[in-house]
Amino acid sequence: MRTRPLTARGAACLVLGGLLCVAANVLAARPLLYIGVLLLLLPLISLLVVRAPRRRGEVWRQISTDLLAVGETSKVTVRFELYAPGVPRGRWRDTLPDAVRGDAVGEYPGETRLLHYDLEGVRRGTATLGPLLLRTVDPFGLAQRVQAFGETRMITVVPQVFALSPLPTRVGAAGGAAQTRSTRIGQGADNLIPRAYLSGDSRRRIHWRATAHRGSLMVRQEEEEASPDAVVVLDRAASRWARPGDTPDPAFEAAVSLCASAALRFVQDGYSVDVFDSSGALLGALRGHEDDRDGLMVALATVIPRGEPRDLRAIVGGTPPGPLVVITGAIQADDAVRLSTAGAAAPMLIAAGASRDALAVAAEHGWNVARLDTAADPAEVWESAIPQAKAPRG
């Protein structure tokens, strides 16, 4: 970061000193010359005082949450060790990316070497905090120096999660807690011991929290579980959404948040959940482990519209799930005709920007439909898409 070596006061002092020296020669006034030379020397001496000392520093950052959600506030603690002759006075500022915001500035030095500020998630994605900038000035405020210290810290901003209503009991009778079964090595999910990642290990078994703490990929022990009985599909086909630009698409952001919220709702109700995108790529598999949730949220943090959709029957596979939630964008009636419920017990289609004809056609083909409006409460949209308790479709 390039800054001017002199402050506004220092530049004014330099200009005034030059003018006085010229006036002293014109008017033959020696006192003006003395004052002019003094004003010229002061900024130069101030520059020497500020820039001559050699400084180095180390920075450690600690964030209160491993993953920061959009709209969530986290506390950041920065330990700043500055090695320099004397204790310079100035102001510190931590460099923040566009994905977050916070009042990351303060006076230096403080009472301790610990600097604190609050950080709020603004836009999902991955970004870096830092470096830490220290701006110091001389006692007269004529010269300044801005230095960067420490490494940057990666931060992941995940989608916002909303509290959604559960499905009626009879709707989820084909899945849920009644059919969740698991056989694990060890004494249960709470006692699973992570181990180092080996070539060939499945991404679905990455232990995200252990990875974050140890700094290297860690995976859970071998486990054997039943097939998932709830499926959530995020349709991110490029044709469904606005073209990516500098500002995020509000409709797509709402769809990603609803995708995460629906998956976590099913987990709370006892379902095993698979989350796919429209191309059939697995975004997350939730089997009741906390690191499963973290893995899904990390995957959803960077997802963007791209590709073309596949047939839902190819994504779901040969075994019809219990609940099936498809979250899509701008679809037309022709698109709705091709959307198969894949024999799901509770098919729910939530669309942002869909035409009325498309929703009507989807309803005729067995979908429980709702329109995802960015101005509407996601919980109310979800409520309107929940099917009534009835027998599963064949």
Side-chain angles (χ1 to χ4, degrees):
M1 179 179 178
R2 299 187 62 182
T3 57
R4 293 177 300 177
L6 295 178
T7 64
R9 181 186 301 178
C13 183
L14 200 62
V15 171
L16 182 59
L19 293 176
L20 287 178
C21 288
V22 173
N25 289 328
V26 173
L27 301 176
R30 188 175 294 273
L32 290 182
L33 180 61
Y34 295 152
I35 297 174
V37 171
L38 177 63
L39 291 179
L40 288 175
L41 289 177
L42 276 177
L44 300 179
I45 295 174
S46 297
L47 276 174
L48 185 63
V49 169
V50 170
R51 293 184 170 268
R54 300 189 61 180
R55 301 172 185 165
R56 63 183 182 88
E58 296 179 353
V59 177
W60 297 269
R61 293 179 183 83
Q62 182 177 1
I63 306 176
S64 59
T65 56
D66 293 335
L67 302 176
L68 180 65
V70 173
E72 180 185 9
T73 299
S74 180
K75 183 172 289 294
V76 180
T77 301
V78 182
R79 184 177 181 87
F80 181 30
E81 295 281 358
L82 180 64
Y83 306 100
V87 181
R89 305 196 67 87
R91 290 183 64 82
W92 63 268
R93 177 169 65 87
D94 209 3
T95 307
L96 302 183
D98 294 336
V100 296
R101 64 185 170 204
D103 189 19
V105 296
E107 295 290 335
Y108 183 86
E111 295 180 357
T112 68
R113 296 172 181 173
L114 297 180
L115 316 175
H116 305 277
Y117 62 90
D118 291 331
L119 199 64
E120 181 185 358
V122 176
R123 181 190 303 179
R124 65 180 182 86
T126 57
T128 54
L129 297 179
L132 185 76
L133 303 179
L134 179 63
R135 176 182 179 269
T136 55
V137 296
D138 67 286
F140 298 105
L142 302 179
Q144 62 182 350
R145 181 183 186 182
V146 177
Q147 289 178 276
F149 296 97
E151 301 293 334
T152 58
R153 164 75 183 270
M154 181 70 70
I155 185 171
T156 302
V157 182
V158 300
Q160 186 175 9
V161 175
F162 300 95
L164 304 180
S165 301
L167 299 186
T169 304
R170 287 184 57 196
V171 170
Q179 288 200 5
T180 301
R181 56 185 172 84
S182 175
T183 302
R184 300 181 179 89
I185 296 175
Q187 300 177 1
D190 293 336
N191 296 321
L192 287 177
I193 300 175
R195 61 168 175 80
Y197 175 86
L198 299 176
S199 178
D201 283 334
S202 171
R203 176 183 173 277
R204 293 165 58 176
R205 295 174 46 228
I206 293 178
H207 195 300
W208 291 100
R209 285 193 177 276
T211 297
H213 286 301
R214 301 193 184 186
S216 60
L217 281 177
M218 306 293 293
V219 296
R220 298 191 304 270
Q221 293 187 70
E222 296 288 344
E223 61 182 66
E224 179 184 344
E225 298 202 10
S227 298
D229 51 12
V231 174
V232 180
V233 178
L234 174 64
D235 185 356
R236 59 166 176 160
S239 58
R240 308 282 200 239
W241 309 97
R243 293 182 178 274
D246 294 335
T247 57
D249 177 12
F252 186 72
E253 296 303 310
V256 174
S257 291
L258 188 58
C259 174
S261 303
L264 296 182
R265 174 71 263 177
F266 287 143
V267 170
Q268 292 176 11
D269 293 340
Y271 291 93
S272 295
V273 186
D274 268 3
V275 182
F276 297 96
D277 68 7
S278 50
S279 67
L282 182 68
L283 298 176
L286 306 183
R287 304 293 185 266
H289 305 302
E290 188 174 359
D291 48 296
D292 289 344
R293 175 190 184 278
D294 292 345
L296 172 64
M297 299 303 284
V298 169
L300 290 178
T302 55
V303 69
I304 59 173
R306 70 177 184 186
E308 295 298 329
R310 291 180 60 192
D311 182 66
L312 280 175
R313 288 167 295 191
I315 296 175
V316 172
T319 304
L324 168 64
V325 178
V326 176
I327 303 171
T328 186
I331 60 173
Q332 303 301 321
D334 293 342
D335 301 316
V337 170
R338 294 190 291 269
L339 283 176
S340 168
T341 61
M348 301 165 62
L349 177 67
I350 303 175
S355 65
R356 292 186 177 181
D357 292 342
L359 293 180
V361 169
E364 292 175 359
H365 283 73
W367 289 97
N368 301 276
V369 300
R371 184 187 301 275
L372 180 58
D373 191 340
T374 55
D377 183 357
E380 295 179 357
V381 174
W382 172 261
E383 191 79 31
S384 64
I386 292 179
Q388 300 297 319
K390 53 191 175 184
R393 293 179 176 82

